[in-house]
Amino acid sequence: MSGIENTIIARLERNGEHFEVLVDPQKGFDYKTGARRDFSNVLAFEEVFKDAKKGERATAKALEKAFGTGDPVAAGKIILEKGELQLTTEQKRKAIVDKRARVIALVARVAVDPRTKAPHPAQRIENAMEQAKVHIDAMKTAEEQVEGVIEQLREILPISTENLKMEIIIPAQYAGRAYGALKEYGMSGEEWRGDGSFRCVCSFPAGMQGEFYDKLNKMTAGSVQTKTL
């Protein structure tokens, strides 16, 4: 089959049958990971196979039984969404590198060293991940994996994911500007006071404390009042 060398395979087992489709490597990866919503032109061939490398096509009857449709494009969409996508070596390497970096950043953002109440440095997190032999899944988002990674890191690092709860008072001249930013930090108990100042309570992961203070101090010229609850 011409052009097969420029494709990757998505495969799915259903009702005891094996189904495969050939997809464009980049478009298929983007669609599978949610970066692309449009399914048009994702399939390299509008065919569903029992064995793509051998060119053995699945019958319309088999598609109808497994997917409720004999349309190969509709069936192919289900195969890509629900099945396993065979990435190229370079795609897999890049995805793992990118997601590992994102996981490290997320761990530093949502977790702290309970001894110091400060985030662990990125290099320390990376070293601990190596020591714990953390596996990064190329097909899952970093956000989907970070909780499991933190659990593995507990065997290596003292680590806490507790939330901070803080009372915030913003002077009147900065209240409007700061309001939108505070919504990103679990804002509740909002109160506009008689002098025009704004009071609220924010709840967020302890690892974000430094980022939180930096942002508020910049927006209020250091005049924000905070109190840990």
Side-chain angles (χ1 to χ4, degrees), residues 184-198:
E184 300 175 17
Y185 295 92
M187 184 172 69
S188 63
E190 304 158 44
E191 177 190 353
W192 291 95
R193 298 158 64 134
D195 61 358
S197 64
F198 178 71

Side-chain angles (χ1 to χ4, degrees), residues 87-106:
L87 301 180
T88 67
T89 301
E90 178 57 23
Q91 277 182 312
K92 188 172 184 179
R93 184 201 66 78
K94 186 177 185 305
I96 289 173
V97 168
D98 291 348
K99 286 175 184 179
R100 178 178 290 272
R102 174 64 177 158
V103 165
I104 290 169
L106 286 172

Side-chain angles (χ1 to χ4, degrees), residues 164-184:
L164 287 179
K165 195 171 186 179
M166 303 191 75
E167 180 185 52
I168 313 297
I169 298 175
I170 307 290
Q173 65 267 41
Y174 304 111
R177 185 193 312 173
Y179 182 84
L182 289 169
K183 290 170 68 176
E184 300 175 17

Side-chain angles (χ1 to χ4, degrees), residues 67-206:
F67 304 105
T69 177
D71 178 9
V73 175
K77 187 170 183 285
I78 296 170
I79 292 167
L80 180 55
E81 290 175 349
K82 305 292 186 183
E84 174 192 352
L85 183 62
Q86 179 184 311
L87 301 180
T88 67
T89 301
E90 178 57 23
Q91 277 182 312
K92 188 172 184 179
R93 184 201 66 78
K94 186 177 185 305
I96 289 173
V97 168
D98 291 348
K99 286 175 184 179
R100 178 178 290 272
R102 174 64 177 158
V103 165
I104 290 169
L106 286 172
V107 172
R109 194 167 192 255
V110 304
V112 295
D113 183 336
R115 301 167 300 183
T116 63
K117 304 299 183 183
H120 286 289
Q123 188 61 57
R124 185 186 299 162
I125 295 169
E126 185 172 9
N127 291 343
M129 286 173 63
E130 292 287 343
Q131 190 176 343
K133 295 181 171 55
V134 169
H135 169 73
I136 298 297
D137 190 325
M139 297 308 302
K140 291 183 179 179
T141 67
E143 287 76 9
E144 289 174 315
Q145 299 181 71
V146 67
E147 186 176 339
V149 169
I150 288 173
E151 288 307 308
Q152 288 181 266
L153 292 181
R154 291 188 193 280
E155 300 177 11
I156 309 297
L157 292 176
I159 195 165
S160 170
T161 55
E162 65 186 29
N163 274 9
L164 287 179
K165 195 171 186 179
M166 303 191 75
E167 180 185 52
I168 313 297
I169 298 175
I170 307 290
Q173 65 267 41
Y174 304 111
R177 185 193 312 173
Y179 182 84
L182 289 169
K183 290 170 68 176
E184 300 175 17
Y185 295 92
M187 184 172 69
S188 63
E190 304 158 44
E191 177 190 353
W192 291 95
R193 298 158 64 134
D195 61 358
S197 64
F198 178 71
R199 177 199 172 277
C200 69
V201 173
C202 288
S203 179
F204 52 87

